Amino acid sequence: MSPTAAVARAHGRATGTSLPGDELAACAARRFLRAALAEWADPFFADRVVDDGTLLVSELVTNAVVHAGTAVELVCRLDPAESALVLEVTDRHPARALRGDVDPAPGEGGGERGRGLHIVAALADTWGVTYRRDRKTVWCRIPLSGEPEPEVRIPAQMLAPSLPGLPRRVDPDWTARGALTFLAEASDLLAGQLEEDNVASLATQLLVPRLADWCAVWLHPGGAAPRLTHVWHSAEHRIDGLRALLEKAPPAPSERPGAQRYALPGGDGALAVPLIATGRCHGTLLLGAAPGHGLPDGALGLIEDFSRRVALALGTARQYARQAMISTVLQRGLLPPATGRIPGVEHAVVYEPTAGDWVGGDFYDLFPAGDGRWCFALGDVCGSGPEAASLAGIARPVLRLLAREGCGVSDVLDRLNRALADEAATALLAETAAWDGHARFLSLLYGEITPGEPGRGAQVTLASAGHPLPLVLAPDGTVRPAATPQMLLGISDDACYASESFGLAPGDTLLCVTDGVTERRHAGRQFDDDDGLAAALSACTGLGAAGVAERLRKAVHDFDETPPADDLALLVLQAL
């Protein structure tokens, strides 16, 4: 019996199953496919079909489990019209980027790449991805006779879109739910993308194969040449040829909204839709259909509505990128210059703003102040985000200036406190430090460390103004506090701060942290409850400064499954 007859005998049957998102999913998928083929037509399927199908279903399921991290659904069906075996693997994470894309073109992003989809491209006749609001399906088709269709350059006549109204095979799920549901799902997916290349990629995959056989997006960066960011075709092996053809004719930005016919090399046309939002053209959406695959009735208006959503998503992504760049510049301004090696003292720093923020209210500094002294500071502005960062950006240079003028530890705190509490200073900082109508206060741990002769340790003088107290870890594992608590800076200009001095013996470790460490929460408890920080530090006995910092950072993160809700900073100084 021929393969075609085997499919006819199976009457286009289909079967599916749900698989857990774990390491057993691929094995279960292989067993399920073999059982289905045996039930339908075995032994009439060629060994190649069984072997290739088993390998491909294993790769698709593995790719879904590893990169989406959800349970998956597997559908195996026979397509009598195409004489092919079709495999479909669906996961529940449509926004997660698809890994392992075949030969990504420059500008489409790199990153980690798997091998699974390379195997799919090599063994399948064709494959693709279908996105929905709450799921993503990767499918492939295996011919039951002959060899897979070889990769060819796409001819120009395959690009011309047919006129609206001509017959076209449309996704049945699309037909059932209609245009409004499509636009709602597209809006949900696009709203979650904050990189313009991801917006372009998602846009092409939403349109193909629902409304077009191929789609491409050109981006128009302000003042730069158009960039072809993503190309998608219902037959993936045609993508390279389509990209090469499109790159010969980059479209110019258009301020006129609405779909237009666009001439491609060779005289054929495509449908071009400018991506215009807030009066600016962010790019151009190109799409087309093969001969006989016209656009469905009413598709033109739908495509234009969809394009407006893509344009808004691109505008949002670009605004996000600009804000990220500004925040990065501000963040760099908060970080001190690279610190050289302190003679006789090893140091390490951990600095992590709140998840989602690029700048925060925590800051640190470590710098030489002359006469063999090194000054260190760890501060925390009440609040977080850019507002707190602006005050932190003022405090650090003031500290450096006072220290280098020869002011001692207590004198530095007194002067900084008067500056923050003074009415004139408060008025000066009002626009940057009091958005909520209240002055911003500052907790600060500030000190000096003076290394002694080699092997003699170091001398430390410090003071804590409303800050978590520093701790000293001895080589025998004992931990002791190294300061007494004092008032926050900026509350009263009458406050008078006192410093404390002590020696760090060789092997002693001084730990300074912000309250993002001590107040890390889990189920109503804080990290430092019952001297939790001291216990965690004691467990670091025998580690160098870098090892202590990393172990404590990990302990803070592991204390709760959720990301930290406050800025986090640690400074470790260890006498050698």
Side-chain angles (χ1 to χ4, degrees):
M1 183 180 294
S2 68
T4 302
V7 176
R9 171 180 170 178
H11 302 296
R13 294 180 61 179
T15 184
T17 186
S18 295
L19 302 169
D22 57 27
E23 66 276 4
L24 301 178
C27 181
R30 292 191 293 268
R31 288 198 305 268
F32 181 81
L33 176 62
R34 292 193 188 102
L37 294 179
E39 178 184 351
W40 291 343
D42 190 64
F44 303 107
F45 289 111
D47 290 341
R48 177 188 61 81
V49 174
V50 178
D51 293 343
D52 288 356
T54 302
L55 176 58
L56 292 181
V57 77
S58 179
E59 293 293 343
L60 290 178
V61 169
T62 299
N63 189 74
V65 170
V66 171
H67 298 302
T70 70
V72 298
E73 297 175 6
L74 169 63
V75 173
C76 310
R77 59 184 175 87
L78 295 172
D79 186 347
E82 302 289 346
S83 185
L85 170 66
V86 179
L87 306 174
E88 300 174 354
V89 175
T90 300
D91 64 65
R92 296 290 174 177
H93 204 318
R96 185 72 59 86
L98 183 65
R99 305 295 179 93
D101 292 340
V102 179
D103 299 330
E108 289 189 24
E112 179 187 349
R113 298 288 175 181
R115 62 185 179 88
L117 297 187
H118 291 277
I119 294 176
V120 173
L123 298 181
D125 175 17
T126 185
W127 68 276
V129 185
T130 302
Y131 286 85
R132 298 290 186 271
R133 178 179 59 83
D134 59 350
R135 63 190 187 277
K136 174 177 83 266
T137 299
V138 185
W139 57 269
C140 68
R141 187 183 69 183
I142 305 170
L144 299 181
S145 61
E147 297 299 324
E149 183 179 350
E151 180 173 351
V152 296
R153 291 288 178 177
I154 182 170
Q157 62 267 26
M158 289 289 289
L159 300 175
S162 304
L163 295 176
L166 292 181
R168 172 179 178 77
R169 290 186 301 173
V170 182
D171 184 346
D173 194 43
W174 148 256
T175 304
R177 293 185 297 170
L180 293 179
T181 303
F182 167 72
L183 289 174
E185 292 186 352
S187 297
D188 285 347
L189 288 171
L190 291 169
Q193 306 303 318
L194 296 177
E195 295 183 10
E196 60 179 5
D197 282 357
N198 288 348
V199 172
S201 173
L202 187 56
T204 60
Q205 295 169 27
L206 285 169
L207 287 177
V208 177
R210 277 188 178 110
L211 297 174
D213 287 308
W214 65 266
C215 184
V217 175
W218 285 88
L219 295 180
H220 302 310
R227 178 169 64 90
L228 182 59
T229 181
H230 204 80
V231 178
W232 197 252
H233 198 291
S234 58
E236 281 70 19
H237 62 278
R238 300 183 186 274
I239 290 177
D240 288 343
L242 177 58
R243 172 178 286 276
L245 185 66
L246 294 177
E247 286 178 337
K248 297 177 182 178
S254 173
E255 301 301 330
R256 182 167 64 90
Q260 309 158 31
R261 291 189 66 85
Y262 184 75
L264 292 168
D268 293 293
L271 194 64
V273 187
L275 300 173
I276 299 174
T278 62
R280 178 182 175 186
C281 181
H282 295 283
T284 301
L285 181 70
L286 294 176
L287 67 158
H293 284 200
L295 301 177
D297 290 334
L300 192 60
L302 176 62
I303 290 170
E304 291 177 346
D305 284 345
F306 174 78
S307 299
R308 282 190 284 272
R309 287 163 170 77
V310 174
L312 288 171
L314 285 173
T316 300
R318 288 182 175 176
Q319 181 65 25
Y320 180 86
R322 285 192 291 270
Q323 291 174 347
M325 179 187 66
I326 293 170
S327 295
T328 298
V329 172
L330 290 174
Q331 183 71 78
R332 289 172 181 168
L334 289 178
L335 299 178
T339 304
R341 182 177 178 275
I342 305 176
V345 177
E346 182 183 355
H347 72 276
V349 175
V350 172
Y351 180 75
E352 296 179 355
T354 307
D357 287 339
W358 294 278
V359 292
D362 287 11
F363 68 95
Y364 73 93
D365 206 355
L366 181 62
F367 59 93
D371 300 327
R373 298 178 301 131
W374 286 75
C375 295
F376 59 91
L378 199 61
D380 183 4
V381 178
C382 296
S384 61
E387 299 91 346
S390 63
L391 183 55
I394 294 172
R396 188 168 59 83
V398 171
L399 287 173
R400 285 197 170 213
L401 178 63
L402 294 174
R404 286 171 175 167
E405 285 183 349
C407 296
V409 171
S410 57
D411 197 18
V412 167
L413 293 184
D414 287 342
R415 294 193 181 195
L416 183 57
N417 176 66
R418 287 196 296 270
L420 292 173
D422 183 76
E423 288 187 10
T426 301
L428 177 64
L429 299 176
E431 293 186 0
T432 59
W435 288 268
D436 56 4
H438 302 284
R440 296 283 178 170
F441 304 120
L442 174 67
S443 74
L444 180 68
L445 177 65
Y446 175 72
E448 299 177 354
I449 183 167
T450 305
E453 296 295 326
R456 301 291 298 272
Q459 188 70 19
V460 177
T461 301
L462 54 72
S464 176
H467 204 80
L469 298 182
L471 300 175
V472 174
L473 170 66
D476 62 2
T478 58
V479 176
R480 70 178 191 275
T484 55
Q486 300 182 73
M487 187 181 299
L488 280 169
L489 296 174
I491 292 181
S492 170
D493 57 3
D494 294 330
C496 184
Y497 293 89
S499 62
E500 303 173 50
S501 297
F502 57 89
L504 277 185
D508 283 352
T509 300
L510 175 65
L511 171 66
C512 311
V513 303
T514 60
D515 61 9
V517 174
T518 57
E519 297 179 4
R520 172 83 157 124
R521 290 186 174 273
H522 172 71
R525 289 181 54 82
Q526 295 186 350
F527 184 78
D528 197 32
D529 285 351
D530 300 323
D531 294 326
L533 179 60
L537 179 60
S538 179
C540 297
T541 303
L543 298 178
V548 172
E550 176 56 25
R551 179 170 292 186
L552 291 177
R553 185 200 68 81
K554 187 175 185 302
V556 172
H557 279 273
D558 291 347
F559 189 67
D560 191 79
E561 294 179 356
T562 61
D566 194 5
D567 303 331
L568 185 154
L570 303 95
L571 172 64
V572 180
L573 299 169
Q574 187 175 80
L576 301 177

